[in-house]
Every structure is written in structure tokens, then in C-alpha cells.
Amino acid sequence: MLELGIGMFGDLQIDPKTGQIQSTQQRLQEIIEEIKLMDEVGLDFFGMGEHHRPDYAVASPEIILAAAATVTKNIKLGSAVSVLSSTDPVKLYQDFATVDLISGGRAEIMAGRGSFIESFPLFGYDLKDYSELFEEKLDLLLKIKKNKTINWTGKFRKSLINQEIHPRATEKGLPIWVAVGGTTSSVIRAGKLGLPVMFAIIGGAWEQFTPLFEMYKQAYEDNGHDMEKFQVGVHMHAFFGEDSKAVAEKYYPIYGAQMNRIGASRGWPPYQKSQYDFGRSPHGHLIVGDANESIDKILTVKEAFGLTRFSAHTDVGSPDHKDMMKAIEIYGTKIAPKVREATK
């Protein structure tokens, strides 16, 4: 069965005329309402991103997830992602173990290197150590998950000698996913470790990720991991409405404005309507439309990659809360049931 859920970064609304940024308090309250609805309509999981910028509401996903745990019953609650490279793995495990206990075993960690770099200077890390930091901290995090008492030595933090890590997660064990973009070494590392992977497909044609999926599966199999436990997902920008043309037209200026804000800091050319239209095509990275179009595209990507999880990133540019609630309702009541029926 394919798991269906939503990932968010906590984008704040920005007035295109005045540049005024939405109140963080308001957006946080909206996010909790949205997660509550996801649970009510039967979605399988929710992921919250970590950012340290004025245009995003959430710096600590685990706090949002702890709050969400008190108003939900079934939905899995994870990060999307926790920036492991600039985080202490001990504290990260403790925080998510706490969420796991509050939620009755529904917490997950999705570890990644993040799509922004603000956390590195903020927490005193050097970008030249970008890759080494992630490798070392992932190693420690996995050891903490497996062992209550830790003996460990690394390069970027002091050694741990017979240190007990508390609290401990529930017996379900706090699943750890790895989020990857297009880096071959990251994909192969995750496969060797036997960790579930979430591929971020956030631009271009989704088929271009085929070689990475093949590499991951090959590395997973070659290292003797149980294919019965094989898990792989995609994270794709998505938004849902009753009428395909209407939702596409309404969402374009919101999505385009966010692409331009991010692109301005990365040297990208201005975002074009032609990019958006291709993204919404059968080969593109966007799933923006009505229920039937969305069902078809999710199933196509699922079959191509052998997915066990699909994550719809629905808050890019921060659409209006009312429209977000409607998109979640459509996803849970119209899209999810038909996708599940088709993938039994």
C-alpha cells in the first residue's frame, strides 16, 4: 500500500505589493489546524521542514509536531527535513523520542542537509565541512537509535563515553528517513545503510530521477538488506482544487513569486509561465490540478519508481489557509481513496 501524506516548509504569506510578511503566530496556528484536518481525512503522514529565515515560520519542527500530536490520533508525524549537518544528533534524538512518546509511537525523523545554508553560521559550523558533518552526524544518530548507552568518537563534537541517552522512543523505534536531492553519493550511502529515502523532485522532469532510484535500489540489495522492508518516496510540489484550470491559474502567481524569491538569492532567471505549464504536464515535477489529474500522475510516478510513499508539498508560497484546507480535504477524501484502491 502506498502511503500518502503532506510535507510543508511553513512558508509565510508575503504581500506582493507591500512586501509585508504574515504573522508567524498566525501561520503556526493555521498549520496546526491543517495537520488536524489531515488526520481527520485519513492521510498517512505529515512532514514539517526546518528553516532559519524570516520568510518561514518553523525553526524547530519537533515543537510543531509535539503540538500536532495532541490534536491528532493516527497520522505519522515527522520532519521534512531536520538539517542534521548543523544539529546535535543527541538533542535531535531526544526531541523526537519525546514526540514519539507523546504521540504513541507516531514520530519519524527525516534527516537531510537542507536546501538553505543559514543554519551553518547560526550554529557555528563551517560550510566547507558540509558533507563530512552530515556523514558523521548520521552515524551518531543511527547509533543512538540502536543503543541506549553510547561510546562514540568523531571530529566535530566531543566524544561520548558510556553516556546514556534519554528518553527512549517507543518500541516502534522512531524510523529515520534520509532526504536526498540529486547527489549520487547520498543515494548510494542511504542504500548501503538500508535507510528509507525520500527523493525531492522539485524541478524539471520527474523521469530524470530514474537512474538515482536504480542506484538506490541496487545499493540496498547489494548490501543484503531485506527487500520486504524496502521503502522509497518522492516529495513533489503539489496543490489540489475542484477545477483543474481554476486552481492552476490561482496558484501560479503564488508559486511563481516564491520561485522568484528563492531564485533571486541563487542567481536563477525569472520564473516563466512556460516552466509552470511544463511542470503540470505528465512529465513535469508539479501535481497541480483536480482530483482526477492528480490521481493519474501520482499513480504514474508510483509505478515508475516503485514508491511506498508520496509526499505532496502543498504550502510553497503559502496559499491562503482556506485554500489549503480545501486542498487537504480533496487530497484525503477524493484522491487518497482512489490511489489506495489502485495500489492494493
PDB file of all heavy atoms in Angstrom, residues 2-37:
ATOM      1  N   LEU A   2       0.545   2.198  -0.848  1.00  0.00           N
ATOM      2  CA  LEU A   2       1.283   3.454  -0.944  1.00  0.00           C
ATOM      3  C   LEU A   2       0.830   4.405   0.162  1.00  0.00           C
ATOM      4  O   LEU A   2      -0.355   4.683   0.299  1.00  0.00           O
ATOM      5  CB  LEU A   2       1.040   4.091  -2.313  1.00  0.00           C
ATOM      6  CG  LEU A   2       1.692   5.446  -2.580  1.00  0.00           C
ATOM      7  CD1 LEU A   2       3.199   5.313  -2.630  1.00  0.00           C
ATOM      8  CD2 LEU A   2       1.152   6.044  -3.875  1.00  0.00           C
ATOM      9  N   GLU A   3       1.791   4.903   0.961  1.00  0.00           N
ATOM     10  CA  GLU A   3       1.472   5.909   1.973  1.00  0.00           C
ATOM     11  C   GLU A   3       1.351   7.273   1.302  1.00  0.00           C
ATOM     12  O   GLU A   3       2.186   7.647   0.477  1.00  0.00           O
ATOM     13  CB  GLU A   3       2.556   5.969   3.040  1.00  0.00           C
ATOM     14  CG  GLU A   3       2.571   4.795   3.986  1.00  0.00           C
ATOM     15  CD  GLU A   3       3.548   5.005   5.123  1.00  0.00           C
ATOM     16  OE1 GLU A   3       4.720   5.346   4.843  1.00  0.00           O
ATOM     17  OE2 GLU A   3       3.144   4.823   6.280  1.00  0.00           O
ATOM     18  N   LEU A   4       0.333   8.030   1.700  1.00  0.00           N
ATOM     19  CA  LEU A   4       0.070   9.335   1.118  1.00  0.00           C
ATOM     20  C   LEU A   4       0.071  10.387   2.219  1.00  0.00           C
ATOM     21  O   LEU A   4      -0.605  10.229   3.240  1.00  0.00           O
ATOM     22  CB  LEU A   4      -1.289   9.342   0.409  1.00  0.00           C
ATOM     23  CG  LEU A   4      -1.404   8.370  -0.772  1.00  0.00           C
ATOM     24  CD1 LEU A   4      -2.862   8.162  -1.137  1.00  0.00           C
ATOM     25  CD2 LEU A   4      -0.624   8.903  -1.972  1.00  0.00           C
ATOM     26  N   GLY A   5       0.832  11.442   2.014  1.00  0.00           N
ATOM     27  CA  GLY A   5       0.898  12.472   3.040  1.00  0.00           C
ATOM     28  C   GLY A   5       1.282  13.818   2.480  1.00  0.00           C
ATOM     29  O   GLY A   5       1.330  14.029   1.260  1.00  0.00           O
ATOM     30  N   ILE A   6       1.568  14.726   3.381  1.00  0.00           N
ATOM     31  CA  ILE A   6       1.870  16.116   3.026  1.00  0.00           C
ATOM     32  C   ILE A   6       3.150  16.549   3.723  1.00  0.00           C
ATOM     33  O   ILE A   6       3.376  16.226   4.890  1.00  0.00           O
ATOM     34  CB  ILE A   6       0.701  17.045   3.430  1.00  0.00           C
ATOM     35  CG1 ILE A   6      -0.470  16.852   2.458  1.00  0.00           C
ATOM     36  CG2 ILE A   6       1.135  18.511   3.474  1.00  0.00           C
ATOM     37  CD1 ILE A   6      -1.702  17.663   2.781  1.00  0.00           C
ATOM     38  N   GLY A   7       3.978  17.275   2.987  1.00  0.00           N
ATOM     39  CA  GLY A   7       5.143  17.935   3.562  1.00  0.00           C
ATOM     40  C   GLY A   7       4.977  19.438   3.450  1.00  0.00           C
ATOM     41  O   GLY A   7       4.407  19.935   2.479  1.00  0.00           O
ATOM     42  N   MET A   8       5.438  20.159   4.457  1.00  0.00           N
ATOM     43  CA  MET A   8       5.376  21.621   4.445  1.00  0.00           C
ATOM     44  C   MET A   8       6.697  22.206   4.900  1.00  0.00           C
ATOM     45  O   MET A   8       7.427  21.587   5.679  1.00  0.00           O
ATOM     46  CB  MET A   8       4.266  22.131   5.369  1.00  0.00           C
ATOM     47  CG  MET A   8       2.851  21.860   4.919  1.00  0.00           C
ATOM     48  SD  MET A   8       1.709  22.666   6.079  1.00  0.00           S
ATOM     49  CE  MET A   8       0.133  22.156   5.391  1.00  0.00           C
ATOM     50  N   PHE A   9       6.974  23.411   4.434  1.00  0.00           N
ATOM     51  CA  PHE A   9       8.136  24.162   4.903  1.00  0.00           C
ATOM     52  C   PHE A   9       7.736  25.294   5.846  1.00  0.00           C
ATOM     53  O   PHE A   9       8.586  25.943   6.432  1.00  0.00           O
ATOM     54  CB  PHE A   9       8.917  24.753   3.722  1.00  0.00           C
ATOM     55  CG  PHE A   9       9.814  23.764   3.036  1.00  0.00           C
ATOM     56  CD1 PHE A   9       9.839  22.423   3.398  1.00  0.00           C
ATOM     57  CD2 PHE A   9      10.656  24.184   2.016  1.00  0.00           C
ATOM     58  CE1 PHE A   9      10.670  21.518   2.765  1.00  0.00           C
ATOM     59  CE2 PHE A   9      11.503  23.275   1.379  1.00  0.00           C
ATOM     60  CZ  PHE A   9      11.509  21.954   1.749  1.00  0.00           C
ATOM     61  N   GLY A  10       6.437  25.552   5.967  1.00  0.00           N
ATOM     62  CA  GLY A  10       5.992  26.647   6.830  1.00  0.00           C
ATOM     63  C   GLY A  10       6.175  28.009   6.206  1.00  0.00           C
ATOM     64  O   GLY A  10       6.451  28.998   6.904  1.00  0.00           O
ATOM     65  N   ASP A  11       5.992  28.104   4.884  1.00  0.00           N
ATOM     66  CA  ASP A  11       6.104  29.394   4.195  1.00  0.00           C
ATOM     67  C   ASP A  11       5.136  30.414   4.801  1.00  0.00           C
ATOM     68  O   ASP A  11       3.984  30.102   5.105  1.00  0.00           O
ATOM     69  CB  ASP A  11       5.747  29.245   2.714  1.00  0.00           C
ATOM     70  CG  ASP A  11       6.682  28.321   1.964  1.00  0.00           C
ATOM     71  OD1 ASP A  11       7.085  27.296   2.522  1.00  0.00           O
ATOM     72  OD2 ASP A  11       6.971  28.615   0.792  1.00  0.00           O
ATOM     73  N   LEU A  12       5.615  31.634   4.945  1.00  0.00           N
ATOM     74  CA  LEU A  12       4.771  32.742   5.372  1.00  0.00           C
ATOM     75  C   LEU A  12       4.270  33.499   4.149  1.00  0.00           C
ATOM     76  O   LEU A  12       4.992  33.652   3.160  1.00  0.00           O
ATOM     77  CB  LEU A  12       5.557  33.696   6.274  1.00  0.00           C
ATOM     78  CG  LEU A  12       5.962  33.130   7.645  1.00  0.00           C
ATOM     79  CD1 LEU A  12       7.009  34.025   8.290  1.00  0.00           C
ATOM     80  CD2 LEU A  12       4.753  32.979   8.548  1.00  0.00           C
ATOM     81  N   GLN A  13       3.028  33.965   4.209  1.00  0.00           N
ATOM     82  CA  GLN A  13       2.490  34.757   3.104  1.00  0.00           C
ATOM     83  C   GLN A  13       3.195  36.110   3.053  1.00  0.00           C
ATOM     84  O   GLN A  13       3.420  36.742   4.090  1.00  0.00           O
ATOM     85  CB  GLN A  13       0.987  34.957   3.286  1.00  0.00           C
ATOM     86  CG  GLN A  13       0.173  33.690   3.113  1.00  0.00           C
ATOM     87  CD  GLN A  13      -1.310  33.913   3.341  1.00  0.00           C
ATOM     88  OE1 GLN A  13      -1.765  35.051   3.480  1.00  0.00           O
ATOM     89  NE2 GLN A  13      -2.062  32.835   3.399  1.00  0.00           N
ATOM     90  N   ILE A  14       3.523  36.539   1.846  1.00  0.00           N
ATOM     91  CA  ILE A  14       4.176  37.827   1.648  1.00  0.00           C
ATOM     92  C   ILE A  14       3.340  38.644   0.671  1.00  0.00           C
ATOM     93  O   ILE A  14       3.096  38.208  -0.460  1.00  0.00           O
ATOM     94  CB  ILE A  14       5.612  37.655   1.120  1.00  0.00           C
ATOM     95  CG1 ILE A  14       6.444  36.838   2.119  1.00  0.00           C
ATOM     96  CG2 ILE A  14       6.261  39.013   0.861  1.00  0.00           C
ATOM     97  CD1 ILE A  14       7.850  36.542   1.652  1.00  0.00           C
ATOM     98  N   ASP A  15       2.882  39.806   1.100  1.00  0.00           N
ATOM     99  CA  ASP A  15       2.049  40.659   0.255  1.00  0.00           C
ATOM    100  C   ASP A  15       2.867  41.117  -0.948  1.00  0.00           C
ATOM    101  O   ASP A  15       3.927  41.748  -0.782  1.00  0.00           O
ATOM    102  CB  ASP A  15       1.559  41.872   1.050  1.00  0.00           C
ATOM    103  CG  ASP A  15       0.523  42.679   0.295  1.00  0.00           C
ATOM    104  OD1 ASP A  15       0.847  43.205  -0.798  1.00  0.00           O
ATOM    105  OD2 ASP A  15      -0.609  42.803   0.779  1.00  0.00           O
ATOM    106  N   PRO A  16       2.411  40.812  -2.192  1.00  0.00           N
ATOM    107  CA  PRO A  16       3.212  41.154  -3.380  1.00  0.00           C
ATOM    108  C   PRO A  16       3.359  42.655  -3.603  1.00  0.00           C
ATOM    109  O   PRO A  16       4.291  43.092  -4.274  1.00  0.00           O
ATOM    110  CB  PRO A  16       2.432  40.499  -4.527  1.00  0.00           C
ATOM    111  CG  PRO A  16       1.035  40.358  -4.013  1.00  0.00           C
ATOM    112  CD  PRO A  16       1.159  40.125  -2.543  1.00  0.00           C
ATOM    113  N   LYS A  17       2.462  43.448  -3.032  1.00  0.00           N
ATOM    114  CA  LYS A  17       2.510  44.899  -3.236  1.00  0.00           C
ATOM    115  C   LYS A  17       3.341  45.600  -2.167  1.00  0.00           C
ATOM    116  O   LYS A  17       4.141  46.492  -2.464  1.00  0.00           O
ATOM    117  CB  LYS A  17       1.091  45.478  -3.262  1.00  0.00           C
ATOM    118  CG  LYS A  17       0.254  44.978  -4.436  1.00  0.00           C
ATOM    119  CD  LYS A  17      -1.138  45.587  -4.405  1.00  0.00           C
ATOM    120  CE  LYS A  17      -1.976  45.087  -5.590  1.00  0.00           C
ATOM    121  NZ  LYS A  17      -3.359  45.637  -5.562  1.00  0.00           N
ATOM    122  N   THR A  18       3.144  45.202  -0.910  1.00  0.00           N
ATOM    123  CA  THR A  18       3.795  45.909   0.196  1.00  0.00           C
ATOM    124  C   THR A  18       5.029  45.185   0.726  1.00  0.00           C
ATOM    125  O   THR A  18       5.859  45.784   1.413  1.00  0.00           O
ATOM    126  CB  THR A  18       2.814  46.098   1.360  1.00  0.00           C
ATOM    127  OG1 THR A  18       2.481  44.814   1.910  1.00  0.00           O
ATOM    128  CG2 THR A  18       1.545  46.789   0.883  1.00  0.00           C
ATOM    129  N   GLY A  19       5.130  43.882   0.439  1.00  0.00           N
ATOM    130  CA  GLY A  19       6.226  43.101   0.986  1.00  0.00           C
ATOM    131  C   GLY A  19       6.026  42.702   2.436  1.00  0.00           C
ATOM    132  O   GLY A  19       6.911  42.098   3.050  1.00  0.00           O
ATOM    133  N   GLN A  20       4.869  43.039   2.987  1.00  0.00           N
ATOM    134  CA  GLN A  20       4.591  42.710   4.392  1.00  0.00           C
ATOM    135  C   GLN A  20       4.480  41.198   4.560  1.00  0.00           C
ATOM    136  O   GLN A  20       3.827  40.517   3.776  1.00  0.00           O
ATOM    137  CB  GLN A  20       3.298  43.375   4.856  1.00  0.00           C
ATOM    138  CG  GLN A  20       2.982  43.125   6.322  1.00  0.00           C
ATOM    139  CD  GLN A  20       1.765  43.911   6.797  1.00  0.00           C
ATOM    140  OE1 GLN A  20       1.257  44.753   6.067  1.00  0.00           O
ATOM    141  NE2 GLN A  20       1.323  43.642   8.009  1.00  0.00           N
ATOM    142  N   ILE A  21       5.127  40.680   5.615  1.00  0.00           N
ATOM    143  CA  ILE A  21       5.161  39.241   5.877  1.00  0.00           C
ATOM    144  C   ILE A  21       4.108  38.877   6.920  1.00  0.00           C
ATOM    145  O   ILE A  21       3.940  39.573   7.925  1.00  0.00           O
ATOM    146  CB  ILE A  21       6.559  38.805   6.351  1.00  0.00           C
ATOM    147  CG1 ILE A  21       7.603  39.131   5.285  1.00  0.00           C
ATOM    148  CG2 ILE A  21       6.583  37.309   6.659  1.00  0.00           C
ATOM    149  CD1 ILE A  21       9.028  38.806   5.701  1.00  0.00           C
ATOM    150  N   GLN A  22       3.409  37.807   6.673  1.00  0.00           N
ATOM    151  CA  GLN A  22       2.387  37.302   7.579  1.00  0.00           C
ATOM    152  C   GLN A  22       2.949  37.065   8.979  1.00  0.00           C
ATOM    153  O   GLN A  22       4.103  36.688   9.154  1.00  0.00           O
ATOM    154  CB  GLN A  22       1.824  35.986   7.026  1.00  0.00           C
ATOM    155  CG  GLN A  22       0.784  35.297   7.870  1.00  0.00           C
ATOM    156  CD  GLN A  22       0.437  33.919   7.332  1.00  0.00           C
ATOM    157  OE1 GLN A  22       1.227  33.323   6.591  1.00  0.00           O
ATOM    158  NE2 GLN A  22      -0.732  33.404   7.672  1.00  0.00           N
ATOM    159  N   SER A  23       2.112  37.254   9.984  1.00  0.00           N
ATOM    160  CA  SER A  23       2.497  36.967  11.359  1.00  0.00           C
ATOM    161  C   SER A  23       2.850  35.491  11.518  1.00  0.00           C
ATOM    162  O   SER A  23       2.095  34.612  11.108  1.00  0.00           O
ATOM    163  CB  SER A  23       1.335  37.322  12.301  1.00  0.00           C
ATOM    164  OG  SER A  23       1.402  36.611  13.501  1.00  0.00           O
ATOM    165  N   THR A  24       4.013  35.227  12.120  1.00  0.00           N
ATOM    166  CA  THR A  24       4.411  33.841  12.375  1.00  0.00           C
ATOM    167  C   THR A  24       3.411  33.147  13.281  1.00  0.00           C
ATOM    168  O   THR A  24       3.079  31.977  13.070  1.00  0.00           O
ATOM    169  CB  THR A  24       5.817  33.807  13.008  1.00  0.00           C
ATOM    170  OG1 THR A  24       6.748  34.380  12.096  1.00  0.00           O
ATOM    171  CG2 THR A  24       6.236  32.378  13.324  1.00  0.00           C
ATOM    172  N   GLN A  25       2.919  33.859  14.285  1.00  0.00           N
ATOM    173  CA  GLN A  25       1.943  33.261  15.203  1.00  0.00           C
ATOM    174  C   GLN A  25       0.706  32.791  14.445  1.00  0.00           C
ATOM    175  O   GLN A  25       0.211  31.679  14.673  1.00  0.00           O
ATOM    176  CB  GLN A  25       1.547  34.264  16.281  1.00  0.00           C
ATOM    177  CG  GLN A  25       0.548  33.694  17.286  1.00  0.00           C
ATOM    178  CD  GLN A  25       0.169  34.687  18.363  1.00  0.00           C
ATOM    179  OE1 GLN A  25       0.368  35.895  18.206  1.00  0.00           O
ATOM    180  NE2 GLN A  25      -0.387  34.203  19.457  1.00  0.00           N
ATOM    181  N   GLN A  26       0.206  33.621  13.535  1.00  0.00           N
ATOM    182  CA  GLN A  26      -0.974  33.240  12.762  1.00  0.00           C
ATOM    183  C   GLN A  26      -0.713  31.998  11.931  1.00  0.00           C
ATOM    184  O   GLN A  26      -1.523  31.067  11.920  1.00  0.00           O
ATOM    185  CB  GLN A  26      -1.400  34.389  11.840  1.00  0.00           C
ATOM    186  CG  GLN A  26      -2.614  34.040  10.967  1.00  0.00           C
ATOM    187  CD  GLN A  26      -2.907  35.096   9.911  1.00  0.00           C
ATOM    188  OE1 GLN A  26      -2.240  36.141   9.857  1.00  0.00           O
ATOM    189  NE2 GLN A  26      -3.890  34.854   9.076  1.00  0.00           N
ATOM    190  N   ARG A  27       0.446  31.955  11.259  1.00  0.00           N
ATOM    191  CA  ARG A  27       0.734  30.815  10.394  1.00  0.00           C
ATOM    192  C   ARG A  27       0.899  29.534  11.204  1.00  0.00           C
ATOM    193  O   ARG A  27       0.448  28.459  10.784  1.00  0.00           O
ATOM    194  CB  ARG A  27       1.991  31.085   9.558  1.00  0.00           C
ATOM    195  CG  ARG A  27       2.301  29.963   8.568  1.00  0.00           C
ATOM    196  CD  ARG A  27       1.251  29.847   7.468  1.00  0.00           C
ATOM    197  NE  ARG A  27       1.325  28.563   6.773  1.00  0.00           N
ATOM    198  CZ  ARG A  27       0.353  27.670   6.712  1.00  0.00           C
ATOM    199  NH1 ARG A  27      -0.819  27.905   7.292  1.00  0.00           N
ATOM    200  NH2 ARG A  27       0.503  26.544   6.060  1.00  0.00           N
ATOM    201  N   LEU A  28       1.533  29.619  12.370  1.00  0.00           N
ATOM    202  CA  LEU A  28       1.700  28.430  13.202  1.00  0.00           C
ATOM    203  C   LEU A  28       0.343  27.864  13.632  1.00  0.00           C
ATOM    204  O   LEU A  28       0.136  26.648  13.625  1.00  0.00           O
ATOM    205  CB  LEU A  28       2.549  28.755  14.428  1.00  0.00           C
ATOM    206  CG  LEU A  28       4.022  29.077  14.167  1.00  0.00           C
ATOM    207  CD1 LEU A  28       4.718  29.463  15.465  1.00  0.00           C
ATOM    208  CD2 LEU A  28       4.739  27.897  13.517  1.00  0.00           C
ATOM    209  N   GLN A  29      -0.566  28.734  13.991  1.00  0.00           N
ATOM    210  CA  GLN A  29      -1.901  28.285  14.388  1.00  0.00           C
ATOM    211  C   GLN A  29      -2.637  27.644  13.210  1.00  0.00           C
ATOM    212  O   GLN A  29      -3.334  26.636  13.368  1.00  0.00           O
ATOM    213  CB  GLN A  29      -2.697  29.454  14.966  1.00  0.00           C
ATOM    214  CG  GLN A  29      -2.146  29.933  16.305  1.00  0.00           C
ATOM    215  CD  GLN A  29      -2.764  31.239  16.774  1.00  0.00           C
ATOM    216  OE1 GLN A  29      -3.411  31.958  16.005  1.00  0.00           O
ATOM    217  NE2 GLN A  29      -2.551  31.573  18.036  1.00  0.00           N
ATOM    218  N   GLU A  30      -2.449  28.219  12.025  1.00  0.00           N
ATOM    219  CA  GLU A  30      -3.049  27.638  10.815  1.00  0.00           C
ATOM    220  C   GLU A  30      -2.479  26.254  10.533  1.00  0.00           C
ATOM    221  O   GLU A  30      -3.224  25.327  10.167  1.00  0.00           O
ATOM    222  CB  GLU A  30      -2.808  28.558   9.620  1.00  0.00           C
ATOM    223  CG  GLU A  30      -3.559  29.869   9.671  1.00  0.00           C
ATOM    224  CD  GLU A  30      -3.177  30.807   8.536  1.00  0.00           C
ATOM    225  OE1 GLU A  30      -2.208  30.513   7.802  1.00  0.00           O
ATOM    226  OE2 GLU A  30      -3.844  31.847   8.380  1.00  0.00           O
ATOM    227  N   ILE A  31      -1.170  26.104  10.689  1.00  0.00           N
ATOM    228  CA  ILE A  31      -0.534  24.811  10.417  1.00  0.00           C
ATOM    229  C   ILE A  31      -1.108  23.717  11.310  1.00  0.00           C
ATOM    230  O   ILE A  31      -1.381  22.601  10.844  1.00  0.00           O
ATOM    231  CB  ILE A  31       0.997  24.920  10.585  1.00  0.00           C
ATOM    232  CG1 ILE A  31       1.599  25.743   9.438  1.00  0.00           C
ATOM    233  CG2 ILE A  31       1.650  23.536  10.628  1.00  0.00           C
ATOM    234  CD1 ILE A  31       3.064  26.097   9.631  1.00  0.00           C
ATOM    235  N   ILE A  32      -1.308  24.015  12.578  1.00  0.00           N
ATOM    236  CA  ILE A  32      -1.877  23.015  13.480  1.00  0.00           C
ATOM    237  C   ILE A  32      -3.288  22.624  13.029  1.00  0.00           C
ATOM    238  O   ILE A  32      -3.648  21.436  13.022  1.00  0.00           O
ATOM    239  CB  ILE A  32      -1.902  23.530  14.932  1.00  0.00           C
ATOM    240  CG1 ILE A  32      -0.461  23.768  15.436  1.00  0.00           C
ATOM    241  CG2 ILE A  32      -2.622  22.550  15.846  1.00  0.00           C
ATOM    242  CD1 ILE A  32       0.417  22.541  15.433  1.00  0.00           C
ATOM    243  N   GLU A  33      -4.094  23.607  12.619  1.00  0.00           N
ATOM    244  CA  GLU A  33      -5.432  23.297  12.090  1.00  0.00           C
ATOM    245  C   GLU A  33      -5.338  22.415  10.850  1.00  0.00           C
ATOM    246  O   GLU A  33      -6.142  21.486  10.668  1.00  0.00           O
ATOM    247  CB  GLU A  33      -6.174  24.590  11.750  1.00  0.00           C
ATOM    248  CG  GLU A  33      -6.604  25.412  12.949  1.00  0.00           C
ATOM    249  CD  GLU A  33      -7.360  26.659  12.524  1.00  0.00           C
ATOM    250  OE1 GLU A  33      -7.849  26.717  11.374  1.00  0.00           O
ATOM    251  OE2 GLU A  33      -7.449  27.596  13.341  1.00  0.00           O
ATOM    252  N   GLU A  34      -4.375  22.698   9.998  1.00  0.00           N
ATOM    253  CA  GLU A  34      -4.220  21.923   8.764  1.00  0.00           C
ATOM    254  C   GLU A  34      -3.792  20.486   9.051  1.00  0.00           C
ATOM    255  O   GLU A  34      -4.312  19.539   8.439  1.00  0.00           O
ATOM    256  CB  GLU A  34      -3.210  22.636   7.852  1.00  0.00           C
ATOM    257  CG  GLU A  34      -3.764  23.941   7.278  1.00  0.00           C
ATOM    258  CD  GLU A  34      -2.711  24.906   6.762  1.00  0.00           C
ATOM    259  OE1 GLU A  34      -1.529  24.518   6.692  1.00  0.00           O
ATOM    260  OE2 GLU A  34      -3.071  26.058   6.441  1.00  0.00           O
ATOM    261  N   ILE A  35      -2.880  20.297  10.001  1.00  0.00           N
ATOM    262  CA  ILE A  35      -2.461  18.938  10.356  1.00  0.00           C
ATOM    263  C   ILE A  35      -3.628  18.168  10.967  1.00  0.00           C
ATOM    264  O   ILE A  35      -3.822  16.975  10.684  1.00  0.00           O
ATOM    265  CB  ILE A  35      -1.279  18.960  11.339  1.00  0.00           C
ATOM    266  CG1 ILE A  35      -0.087  19.722  10.760  1.00  0.00           C
ATOM    267  CG2 ILE A  35      -0.842  17.532  11.679  1.00  0.00           C
ATOM    268  CD1 ILE A  35       1.017  20.007  11.759  1.00  0.00           C
ATOM    269  N   LYS A  36      -4.415  18.837  11.790  1.00  0.00           N
ATOM    270  CA  LYS A  36      -5.589  18.198  12.399  1.00  0.00           C
ATOM    271  C   LYS A  36      -6.544  17.696  11.317  1.00  0.00           C
ATOM    272  O   LYS A  36      -7.062  16.574  11.394  1.00  0.00           O
ATOM    273  CB  LYS A  36      -6.311  19.185  13.319  1.00  0.00           C
ATOM    274  CG  LYS A  36      -7.465  18.600  14.122  1.00  0.00           C
ATOM    275  CD  LYS A  36      -7.979  19.630  15.122  1.00  0.00           C
ATOM    276  CE  LYS A  36      -9.060  19.029  16.012  1.00  0.00           C
ATOM    277  NZ  LYS A  36     -10.329  18.788  15.271  1.00  0.00           N
ATOM    278  N   LEU A  37      -6.754  18.507  10.278  1.00  0.00           N
ATOM    279  CA  LEU A  37      -7.619  18.086   9.181  1.00  0.00           C
ATOM    280  C   LEU A  37      -6.997  16.920   8.407  1.00  0.00           C
ATOM    281  O   LEU A  37      -7.717  15.994   7.999  1.00  0.00           O
ATOM    282  CB  LEU A  37      -7.887  19.265   8.237  1.00  0.00           C
ATOM    283  CG  LEU A  37      -8.773  18.966   7.023  1.00  0.00           C
ATOM    284  CD1 LEU A  37     -10.153  18.473   7.454  1.00  0.00           C
ATOM    285  CD2 LEU A  37      -8.897  20.197   6.129  1.00  0.00           C
TER     286      LEU A  37
END
